[in-house]
Amino acid sequence: MTNNALPKTGQAWDALEARMREMAKGDVKWRDGRTGLYIFNAGEDVARVKQAAYAMFSEENGLGPAAFPSIAQMEREVVGFGLDLLNAPAGAAGAMTSGGTDSIVMAVKAARDHARAKRGLGKGLNIVAPTTVHPAFDKAGMMMDIEIRRIPVKNFLADPAAMEAAIDSNTLMIVGSAPCFPFGLIDPIEALGELAERKKIWLHVDACVGGYIAPFVRMNGVDLPPFDFAIAGVSSVSGDLHKYGYASKGASTVFFRTQEMRDFMTFDAGPWPLGRMLTPTLAGTRPGGAIAAAWAVTQFLGVEGYREKQRVVTDARAKIEAGVTKLGFRVLGAPQLGIISFTHEKADALALYAKMHHRGWFTAALVDPKALHLMLSPKHNDVAHEYLTDLEASLAEVLGGATEQMTARYAH
Ligand SMILES: *Cc1c(COP(=O)(O)O)cnc(C)c1O
């Protein structure tokens, strides 16, 4: 990096807009549905609503609920909507955060302080989680000096018996995902809930990528296993509005079974020259725009709107599932939501990934096991056929390449 002095004189917006459009030319073509990662494209109408709401409250600050009762009300309503969707009991509580990592770090902080207060735990704490949980838990562990014990999965799912064997008297939390990001599969949360209750340990369900799709997929008639506060052993749940809630980036939610548990998340700091500072989460300044956009999108879609969007997502997944199976791929587990991973016996997934990338598809790939990965949004239903056509061509190239190499080897 080099020092880059600010221009001496400022430029007009028109010129800046043109320059930014120019910069964006090298970006992935997400508006055409070419990403299976980073973007949740629910269409133009949703985009207009969130952008307008974000712009309307871009200056307001969620740090000051007394100054901005509007933002405070929008947050309360959004949190209430999430609690209701996730079967929270009366007295449950939550907060908005800046993202899934933030929500997870906050849940771990609350669980740690709760364990110290209620179980007398001190230092040398650990969290027991399946290998598939998001690295946000490692970040929380790094920050709070907590060991993260990653336990191998069984059939791609958390293995409650193996997790139980890893629990000791310093285990402050166990974790399951609904679903996990690598495979899009919902861990056996009921069994983990039973384990948590029996051992009297906090269970966090990471529904960052599932919290705002799974309830609607269930309403659409899919038989999903229970994964939320309906299970008595679940203490906290994270759910990202900026994923399948289709809100603008910078919006997530974290929920707790009781207000008392949520109170352990609060930072009560001071003294400093302004006296005492109380914040519900790590953030000081909180973007009013992200809260407003989340509120506006949830109100714009409503239950019917979300059900429709999520039906399109699961339709796209089913199309891709059928298509890749026909091409000889094996789907990892039995995904029911918007994420799918698949692997091919004869074709190296990372070679396929490179071919697809060359054709303009920007997706994730798994390295263990090697597999292609897609996180689908409504837009993908329009391009599923195009994806499969490109995948077929890429597969032929990779298999053809493999044959050529083998022929070359035998020719020697
Ligand atoms: C996306 C995701 C996270 C992290 O969320 P960010 O908003 O990217 O910080 C955590 N857990 C799961 C399962 C996720 O899919």
Side-chain angles (χ1 to χ4, degrees):
M1 289 198 195
T2 54
N3 289 1
N4 224 349
L6 267 179
K8 198 160 163 50
T9 44
Q11 271 195 327
W13 168 245
D14 287 352
L16 297 176
E17 190 184 19
R19 282 171 61 195
M20 288 193 284
R21 281 197 197 289
E22 189 58 35
M23 285 190 254
K25 276 195 177 149
D27 291 355
V28 66
K29 301 288 174 271
W30 65 266
R31 289 182 181 81
D32 303 337
R34 290 265 164 174
T35 57
L37 196 63
Y38 304 135
I39 298 283
F40 292 81
N41 188 342
E44 291 289 318
D45 51 351
V46 175
R48 267 194 299 278
V49 168
K50 66 179 130 179
Q51 286 159 14
Y54 204 111
M56 204 171 153
F57 285 91
S58 72
E59 303 310 307
E60 279 75 354
N61 190 341
L63 176 60
F68 308 109
S70 57
I71 297 290
Q73 181 182 346
M74 287 189 263
E75 174 170 4
R76 265 197 316 278
E77 291 186 16
V78 168
V79 167
F81 172 47
L83 288 169
D84 185 53
L85 275 177
L86 297 169
N87 295 304
M96 282 186 72
T97 71
S98 67
T101 302
D102 194 351
S103 290
I104 287 166
V105 170
M106 288 298 95
V108 171
K109 190 268 185 195
R112 184 201 60 178
D113 290 358
H114 182 268
R116 283 180 174 165
K118 302 282 176 175
R119 292 171 56 199
L121 296 189
K123 292 191 183 301
L125 303 179
N126 66 76
I127 291 175
V128 172
T131 45
T132 47
V133 295
H134 194 277
F137 289 93
D138 301 282
K139 291 187 185 176
M142 289 172 202
M143 280 192 275
M144 287 177 260
D145 208 8
I146 296 165
E147 178 198 353
I148 308 300
R149 297 185 175 165
R150 286 180 173 264
I151 311 304
V153 289
K154 206 165 139 186
N155 296 325
F156 310 110
L157 298 172
D159 178 351
M163 285 173 65
E164 178 166 4
I167 291 173
D168 62 24
S169 58
N170 267 340
T171 301
L172 79 101
M173 174 190 268
I174 61 173
V175 186
S177 305
C180 68
F181 184 79
F183 310 120
L185 305 173
I186 301 175
D187 282 327
I189 306 296
E190 249 179 328
L192 294 178
E194 186 274 321
L195 175 60
E197 280 195 293
R198 193 154 41 78
K199 297 277 189 180
K200 298 190 168 48
I201 295 175
W202 185 299
L203 167 60
H204 180 80
V205 174
D206 180 9
C208 276
V209 76
Y212 291 97
I213 180 171
F216 301 107
V217 169
R218 182 182 281 144
M219 288 178 209
N220 287 343
V222 177
D223 187 19
L224 296 184
F227 68 91
D228 57 23
F229 288 107
I231 297 165
V234 173
S235 291
S236 57
V237 180
S238 48
D240 292 350
L241 291 155
H242 63 202
K243 289 183 180 158
Y244 286 104
Y246 305 117
S248 294
K249 302 250 184 324
S252 174
T253 41
V254 59
F255 305 108
F256 299 88
R257 180 168 291 278
T258 65
Q259 178 67 46
E260 189 196 25
M261 286 170 156
R262 183 196 188 270
D263 288 343
F264 282 102
M265 177 171 68
T266 302
F267 289 92
D268 183 352
W272 74 320
L274 274 77
R276 184 176 170 206
M277 188 173 184
L278 273 174
T279 54
T281 64
L282 183 63
T285 294
R286 296 197 302 147
I291 296 170
W295 183 87
V297 169
T298 51
Q299 298 295 314
F300 178 70
L301 287 172
V303 171
E304 291 305 319
Y306 276 112
R307 281 185 63 175
E308 177 56 22
K309 295 289 178 202
Q310 313 308 30
R311 189 188 58 70
V312 176
V313 171
T314 50
D315 280 359
R317 196 209 67 241
K319 255 187 223 176
I320 287 181
E321 203 169 337
V324 300
T325 304
K326 233 171 104 186
L327 291 175
F329 287 87
R330 179 172 59 91
V331 174
L332 303 182
Q336 295 177 294
L337 302 170
I339 291 178
I340 180 170
S341 290
F342 43 96
T343 185
H344 200 285
E345 291 286 310
K346 300 202 180 72
D348 181 71
L350 302 183
L352 280 170
Y353 175 87
K355 297 279 183 199
M356 290 300 278
H357 187 263
H358 187 70
R359 287 181 160 85
W361 297 96
F362 200 105
T363 70
L366 308 188
V367 293
D368 183 23
K370 281 189 194 177
L372 295 175
H373 178 279
L374 290 174
M375 184 168 67
L376 301 166
S377 48
K379 178 67 187 175
H380 290 114
N381 202 34
D382 303 339
V383 298
H385 182 73
E386 216 178 302
Y387 177 83
L388 290 168
T389 305
D390 281 352
L391 186 62
E392 186 170 10
S394 299
L395 181 63
E397 282 174 18
V398 169
L399 291 177
T403 315
E404 273 162 37
Q405 276 169 20
M406 277 171 63
T407 316
R409 199 180 308 147
Y410 285 121
H412 276 290

